[in-house]
Amino acid sequence: NSGTNSYLYQNLVKTQKAVSAGSFHDCAELACTMYVYAMGNSGKKGDLTVLNKELMDTLEQFSKEGVEQERLDQITGMAEADAVFALQSVKGKVSQLASNQTFYGQPDRIESQLDQIRAVTPESVSKAYQDFIEGKHKVTLSVVPKKQLDLAVREATFTTPDRTLPEYSKVTEDQLDIRKAPNTFDRSVMPEVNFGVEATMPDLYRMHFANGTDLIGTETNETPTVQLQIQLPAGERYVRQGQEGLANLTAAMMEEGSTQRTVEELQATLDKLGSSVSINAGSYTTDISISTLEKNLPQTLAIAEEVLFKPKFDEQDFERVKKQMLEGVVYQHQQPSWMASQATREVLFGNSIFGRASDGTKASLESLTLDDVKLFYSQHYTPEGANIVIVGDISKKEASKQLQFFEQWQGDAAPLTRPQIIKELSGQRLYLVDKPGAPQSIVRLVRKGLPFDATGELYLSQLANFNLAGNFNSRINQNLREDKAYTYGASGYFASTRETGAVVFSAQVRANATVPSIQEFINELNEFSQSGLTDEEVKFMRLAVGQQDALKYETPSQKAGLLSNIVALSLDEDYLQQRNQIVETVSKETLNELSKKWFDPNDYQIIVVGDATSLRPQLEKLDIPIEELEIIR
């Protein structure tokens, strides 16, 4: 697999021969397929001939050495926990029951399935490898940059075979074994929705620690699991200009083992417990996410404590992680979707911190040192201003007892963020970002929006947008996708942070439909801002918004996300109920006034990512000033 204790990770990723590597097994009704993959470095270092040999050598090593019982115990621990976590949602329950009934005639097969996993031995794994993998036919796929076929494993030998399809028109009905599902209702009649579903807030409890940390939690005992999230004031918003990516790099280094145990030893223990501890940096916080069976919470928190307070910060690990992040940036920043997002940031927010790529640039990442990571850790990994969210089969009293280690932690407040000045835009422009040879274009209409609010103008404006571009049946999606077939999907949304926001309408369209798509966006915005919603659209919004949100707060991890918003953004505990009331009572006149304010197409900047050479002559017909934008990567 792709875990830190796997052959592929140890042989290819940790040795920096590959950016990533792993394997997985995919089974369908008729056959199963084993996939083994590795991603090479960018440029000439990504010679797949060398990487393929390393990968084949690793498979040979596995063939000879097999798997130890210790590793099987870890896999069994993960399988048992996964079976429980899969039952946290309605979808998970239904999927398990339906799949097991369909393929095995035994809907409650989970326990017997786990018994089969527990019965696996090192010998049976080796036998399965010899029987089904060793020496069997395989297909090798090389993915390399254009015109650099010399980097491929070898010259391609595969040719697509001819297919002979039967002439179905000549097959009579009596020759087919048609199985018709019995109808107990009229399928031509769409079921009516008589009322909207309303999200409800669970019962909450709070605690405040003397070290400056706030805790919010809720008890739920549907499954014997606990989801815990520690939010530290260590997001990318706190990073100085020129050090973009530092928060992400620090979070990645926190996952590289402690001064007491290696990352492999820590992961082996977590796997046995069926638990996970992950650290990820966001805009304003770095989150330590902990997921575990309730019975294994103490052991899992002990690992989280070790990782948090005793990070290894090894120079060799730092060089490897930094290199992986650099390779990731090189790959990600070539994607048209990322280019469109970065163009949006730069157009709307200029040289402010909000105009920077949070994952860093090649230049910013290359400049970072291990000392930068250590300094960021010492200043921002602090309990002062931190938040803890806990959801699961655990009481407030027990939660307080288990978190004594965090309550006793002392630290100073993190440095404050600096206010940002954002230059106002004047006049409408079309910004063209070149993606040579692109067969598709990304079209965006963007303007500055509002900072986050839960029940104020931002939320009301989102309700106004629901019928314009906020769901599949919205005007813009129906126009560009269903009527014109320019795109697979067109949407619009209000993005917001604590400090600022943006309104974005976007679609990925055929290159030859770029100009017509822009025109349709403008037409739809113009019509909606001037004429507003119909009575039918208001009715649809009232019914649909609650239905759309019905399962957003179902599982412990979803509830944890809800609670983290409450504590991080200082929201009212009953804000969901307040939203329900707004959806039910907001007038069409209010939504129309907001539509007039926010959806006037003349207030939007236009961004196009695509082949500039072919697009520019067409775009000039729009009679909008064009500026070619060289985004910062």
Side-chain angles (χ1 to χ4, degrees):
N1 59 27
S2 56
T4 56
N5 287 299
S6 69
Y7 281 93
L8 290 168
Y9 182 88
Q10 288 293 318
N11 288 2
L12 300 181
V13 179
K14 191 150 190 177
T15 58
Q16 301 187 44
K17 295 172 182 175
V19 176
S20 66
S23 65
F24 59 95
H25 197 221
D26 181 34
C27 276
E29 290 187 56
L30 299 180
C32 297
T33 305
M34 179 79 169
Y35 294 86
V36 183
Y37 66 89
M39 177 183 285
N41 296 310
S42 59
K44 287 296 181 182
K45 294 180 181 178
D47 188 341
L48 297 185
T49 305
V50 177
L51 189 56
N52 181 64
K53 183 180 184 307
E54 295 286 350
L55 194 148
M56 292 297 107
D57 288 346
T58 301
L59 292 179
E60 180 63 24
Q61 180 186 357
F62 180 81
S63 176
K64 292 177 180 178
E65 298 177 6
V67 62
E68 296 179 353
Q69 184 62 50
E70 174 76 8
R71 183 59 180 152
L72 283 181
D73 292 342
Q74 298 163 21
I75 294 171
T76 300
M78 290 189 290
E80 290 177 341
D82 288 345
V84 175
F85 285 115
L87 299 176
Q88 290 182 329
S89 67
V90 170
K91 180 181 178 181
K93 295 182 182 73
V94 168
S95 297
Q96 293 267 9
L97 292 170
S99 176
N100 287 330
Q101 174 61 29
T102 300
F103 297 114
Y104 301 97
Q106 182 187 353
D108 57 346
R109 181 176 171 264
I110 292 177
E111 195 55 49
S112 59
Q113 192 173 7
L114 288 173
D115 286 339
Q116 290 180 339
I117 293 174
R118 297 185 189 108
V120 173
T121 64
E123 293 74 23
S124 62
V125 171
S126 294
K127 186 177 187 305
Y129 186 84
Q130 299 299 328
D131 289 346
F132 302 110
I133 306 296
E134 181 77 20
K136 299 299 186 291
H137 295 297
K138 67 179 185 299
V139 174
T140 302
L141 172 66
S142 298
V143 180
V144 297
K146 284 185 178 180
K147 299 181 181 179
Q148 296 187 38
L149 296 178
D150 57 312
L151 297 179
V153 171
R154 54 181 288 192
E155 188 176 344
T157 58
F158 178 80
T159 55
T160 305
D162 294 331
R163 294 182 65 195
T164 304
L165 299 176
E167 297 184 49
Y168 291 105
S169 59
K170 295 182 179 179
V171 179
T172 59
E173 188 169 323
D174 61 340
Q175 294 176 295
L176 297 174
D177 181 17
I178 300 177
R179 294 179 295 172
K180 294 184 178 180
N183 286 332
T184 57
F185 58 91
D186 187 349
R187 292 180 180 272
S188 66
V189 178
M190 182 182 294
E192 287 190 20
V193 179
N194 295 319
F195 58 89
V197 175
E198 296 183 349
T200 57
M201 185 69 69
D203 294 330
L204 308 178
Y205 60 81
R206 288 178 180 266
M207 286 185 272
H208 178 75
F209 297 161
N211 61 10
T213 298
D214 287 311
L215 181 147
I216 187 170
T218 186
E219 187 173 354
T220 173
N221 56 14
E222 186 174 357
T223 56
T225 59
V226 176
Q227 187 80 27
L228 194 144
Q229 193 173 80
I230 301 170
Q231 298 180 322
L232 304 171
E236 284 289 340
R237 177 64 177 84
Y238 295 91
V239 172
R240 291 189 292 109
Q241 190 162 0
Q243 291 192 319
E244 292 85 359
L246 177 57
N248 282 285
L249 184 54
T250 304
M253 285 300 298
M254 295 291 293
E255 294 186 318
E256 288 297 317
S258 72
T259 55
Q260 294 179 327
R261 286 185 282 182
T262 66
V263 63
E264 290 82 7
E265 291 170 333
L266 289 170
Q267 192 60 54
T269 304
L270 286 170
D271 288 348
K272 273 189 179 181
L273 297 171
S275 304
S276 68
V277 175
S278 62
I279 305 177
N280 295 284
S283 297
Y284 289 87
T285 63
T286 287
D287 297 346
I288 304 174
S289 300
I290 300 163
S291 182
T292 179
L293 299 175
E294 185 274 330
K295 65 179 181 179
N296 294 331
L297 180 61
Q299 302 98 304
T300 306
L301 287 179
I303 292 176
E305 179 182 1
E306 181 179 334
V307 168
L308 176 59
F309 295 147
K310 299 174 182 178
K312 187 179 178 183
F313 288 156
D314 177 76
E315 185 71 44
Q316 190 173 354
D317 290 338
F318 172 77
E319 292 300 329
R320 172 174 46 81
V321 171
K322 178 178 169 179
K323 180 181 176 183
Q324 289 172 339
M325 288 188 68
L326 278 165
E327 291 291 341
V329 162
V330 169
Y331 173 77
Q332 184 64 29
H333 291 192
Q334 296 177 41
Q335 306 303 310
S337 57
W338 182 90
M339 296 168 72
S341 296
Q342 181 58 23
T344 302
R345 288 188 284 267
E346 291 183 24
V347 166
L348 295 184
F349 305 119
N351 292 324
S352 74
I353 196 169
F354 307 116
R356 290 152 39 184
S358 62
D359 56 348
T361 64
K362 190 171 183 288
S364 69
L365 288 173
E366 284 178 340
S367 72
L368 297 177
T369 66
L370 184 56
D371 285 338
D372 293 328
V373 168
K374 291 178 179 178
L375 179 61
F376 189 80
Y377 168 78
S378 66
Q379 290 183 333
H380 293 275
Y381 282 61
T382 174
E384 181 69 42
N387 296 310
I388 297 177
V389 173
I390 185 166
V391 177
D393 191 12
I394 182 172
S395 66
K396 177 181 179 181
K397 181 179 179 181
E398 183 62 22
S400 177
K401 176 183 174 183
Q402 294 289 349
L403 289 167
Q404 283 294 309
F405 77 93
F406 199 94
E407 188 174 1
Q408 293 166 5
W409 183 22
Q410 298 298 315
D412 298 328
L416 297 175
T417 58
R418 298 177 181 178
Q420 296 291 299
I421 298 174
I422 302 172
K423 185 179 178 181
E424 288 298 323
L425 296 171
S426 59
Q428 186 178 62
R429 279 181 169 77
L430 191 154
Y431 296 88
L432 180 57
V433 181
D434 190 20
K435 180 68 175 173
Q440 293 182 316
S441 302
I442 292 183
V443 171
R444 282 192 170 197
L445 275 69
V446 302
R447 64 167 290 180
K448 288 178 192 171
L450 292 166
F452 178 82
D453 72 58
T455 55
E457 183 175 349
L458 174 68
Y459 182 65
L460 289 166
S461 301
Q462 290 171 325
L463 295 181
N465 178 59
F466 188 77
N467 288 287
L468 174 60
N471 72 93
F472 186 85
N473 290 318
S474 66
R475 294 190 189 185
I476 284 178
N477 191 59
Q478 289 297 303
N479 183 343
L480 271 72
R481 174 191 161 102
E482 300 299 307
D483 295 342
K484 307 294 191 307
Y486 292 159
T487 178
Y488 282 115
S491 64
Y493 55 90
F494 284 72
S496 60
T497 69
R498 302 175 192 177
E499 299 169 85
T500 189
V503 190
V504 179
F505 292 91
S506 181
Q508 184 162 312
V509 303
R510 299 193 322 266
N512 61 3
T514 302
V515 171
S517 296
I518 293 172
Q519 292 170 326
E520 291 304 325
F521 267 119
I522 291 173
N523 292 341
E524 291 291 354
L525 285 167
N526 191 54
E527 170 66 22
F528 201 83
S529 62
Q530 292 187 21
S531 303
L533 294 80
T534 66
D535 290 338
E536 196 62 32
E537 285 176 328
V538 175
K539 179 182 177 183
F540 175 72
M541 181 274 295
R542 295 196 202 282
L543 290 172
V545 167
Q547 305 283 4
Q548 195 177 64
D549 292 345
L551 297 179
K552 273 188 179 178
Y553 314 115
E554 179 190 14
T555 67
S557 62
Q558 290 172 318
K559 286 186 173 71
L562 171 66
L563 269 57
S564 68
N565 282 337
I566 290 175
V567 70
L569 300 169
S570 301
L571 305 181
D572 295 337
E573 290 188 3
D574 68 340
Y575 89 90
L576 288 184
Q577 282 71 28
Q578 293 179 37
R579 282 185 166 185
N580 293 338
Q581 185 66 21
I582 290 170
V583 171
E584 192 175 318
T585 61
V586 64
S587 68
K588 184 172 80 167
E589 290 71 28
T590 297
L591 298 179
N592 286 346
E593 282 299 314
L594 290 168
S595 298
K596 187 179 299 183
K597 175 179 179 180
W598 288 106
F599 302 137
D600 183 344
N602 297 307
D603 296 333
Y604 284 78
Q605 305 300 317
I606 301 171
I607 294 171
V608 175
V609 179
D611 183 56
T613 302
S614 60
L615 288 176
R616 189 176 185 102
Q618 304 171 48
L619 294 170
E620 288 173 347
K621 298 175 184 176
L622 293 170
D623 200 25
I624 299 172
I626 298 175
E627 181 177 323
E628 290 208 26
L629 182 64
E630 189 71 35
I631 59 175
I632 300 172
R633 298 199 239 189

